[in-house]
Amino acid sequence: LEKRGERETRVAHRRRQLLWLEDAGERVRALLTLVDLERALSRHEQIVEDCRAVLDLDGAQSQTRGHLVEALDALERGDELVEALRAWIENSPTDDLRDPLRVRLAKHLEKRGEIELALEEYRLVLETVSEGEAERVAESAVDAYTSNPEWDESAYGILKDYFARTGQWRKTVETNDRWLKSVDSEERRATLLRENAFLLDTRAGVPAEAYRAYTAAFLADPTDGDALG
């Protein structure tokens, strides 16, 4: 209680100080101190107001954008949170900084049910992120699909496109195999199986597995002579 009272006294002092501070740099420093004190006091509404005041004076304050997002999340102000994350991404100078924010935005959009917007953020990350990290991000998109059955096949497409682009043909086949478990159309199943057969034969160099995939494709759609390879 003593510490809380001390912080509240410091908040009141800083607020009085802001009344006469005119220099932008000094106002930013005073506001940043207020934000730190208010975070300790869990005053989320005031944090939002003061963070926005800081960013009006100095838009390069990345940590302040993080505090703003944190406060909006605590207040469950979803629309403003999306807007704040997009602004944070826009004002981040490198892909290394932007990519984790895009993933965070995608996961928030996913929770809101804004599926296509979430997938677009995942796609943007995959264009710039390192190979090891890209696979994790792509897997996140597919995991989101499997926990939300109403999603269309574009989530699987993100992962598949990434593996195809990086020449990971065996993983492309594995992704198609996962995809096959949720496909109802026999014609679509045949298409995926034919693609697997082609990759297994021409890229992975395993003709026996390719033959089994061609056979499965023919059984799924006997009218398609191409399934026989």
Side-chain angles (χ1 to χ4, degrees):
L1 287 176
E2 185 176 340
K3 273 195 171 182
R4 183 175 184 87
E6 181 185 332
R7 289 187 181 113
E8 288 173 345
T9 300
R10 292 177 64 195
V11 166
H13 171 71
R14 285 292 182 178
R15 292 243 170 262
R16 288 193 299 271
Q17 187 183 28
L18 278 171
L19 294 174
W20 53 265
L21 282 177
E22 295 183 0
D23 179 77
E26 290 180 356
R27 289 186 66 81
V28 165
R29 285 190 290 275
L31 285 163
L32 290 175
T33 299
L34 276 172
V35 169
D36 286 340
L37 291 167
E38 287 154 356
R39 291 181 70 228
L41 295 166
S42 298
R43 292 180 176 173
H44 302 301
E45 292 279 2
Q46 197 60 59
I47 292 167
V48 169
E49 183 178 327
D50 288 336
C51 283
R52 284 176 171 160
V54 170
L55 294 170
D56 284 342
L57 293 167
D58 182 2
Q61 289 281 343
S62 180
Q63 188 176 37
T64 302
R65 292 189 184 279
H67 294 333
L68 174 60
V69 165
E70 179 185 79
L72 290 170
D73 197 14
L75 292 166
E76 298 183 350
R77 285 156 61 172
D79 289 345
E80 292 174 72
L81 175 56
V82 168
E83 183 181 338
L85 278 168
R86 291 198 186 283
W88 195 0
I89 291 165
E90 184 178 339
N91 284 275
S92 296
T94 66
D95 290 330
D96 285 347
L97 295 172
R98 283 190 291 267
D99 290 338
L101 296 175
R102 287 198 186 281
V103 172
R104 186 171 178 179
L105 175 58
K107 290 184 182 299
H108 181 70
L109 290 167
E110 177 194 336
K111 284 197 301 185
R112 287 162 57 92
E114 298 181 55
I115 295 157
E116 288 304 319
L117 291 176
L119 290 175
E120 181 59 27
E121 295 303 324
Y122 283 127
R123 290 189 186 99
L124 289 169
V125 173
L126 288 173
E127 290 176 1
T128 59
V129 79
S130 64
E131 184 171 320
E133 187 70 5
E135 186 170 338
R136 184 189 66 77
V137 171
E139 286 281 6
S140 292
V142 175
D143 288 343
Y145 172 82
T146 56
S147 63
N148 295 274
E150 71 275 12
W151 283 33
D152 63 26
E153 65 189 33
S154 55
Y156 274 109
I158 290 174
L159 186 59
K160 179 179 165 182
D161 289 348
Y162 166 69
F163 287 140
R165 191 168 67 249
T166 55
Q168 299 183 64
W169 308 113
R170 176 61 77 173
K171 285 190 174 286
T172 304
V173 171
E174 290 172 3
T175 301
N176 281 347
D177 286 340
R178 289 177 65 180
W179 199 341
L180 282 164
K181 294 175 184 177
S182 61
V183 172
D184 295 325
S185 162
E186 290 302 312
E187 182 179 355
R188 188 72 183 111
R189 287 179 59 81
T191 298
L192 291 170
L193 287 163
R194 281 198 306 275
E195 182 179 9
N196 275 1
F198 176 80
L199 292 174
L200 289 165
D201 187 18
T202 63
R203 306 290 186 178
V206 281
E209 289 184 48
Y211 178 77
R212 284 194 290 272
Y214 277 127
T215 301
F218 176 73
L219 293 174
D221 185 10
T223 63
D224 189 350
D226 288 343
L228 294 175

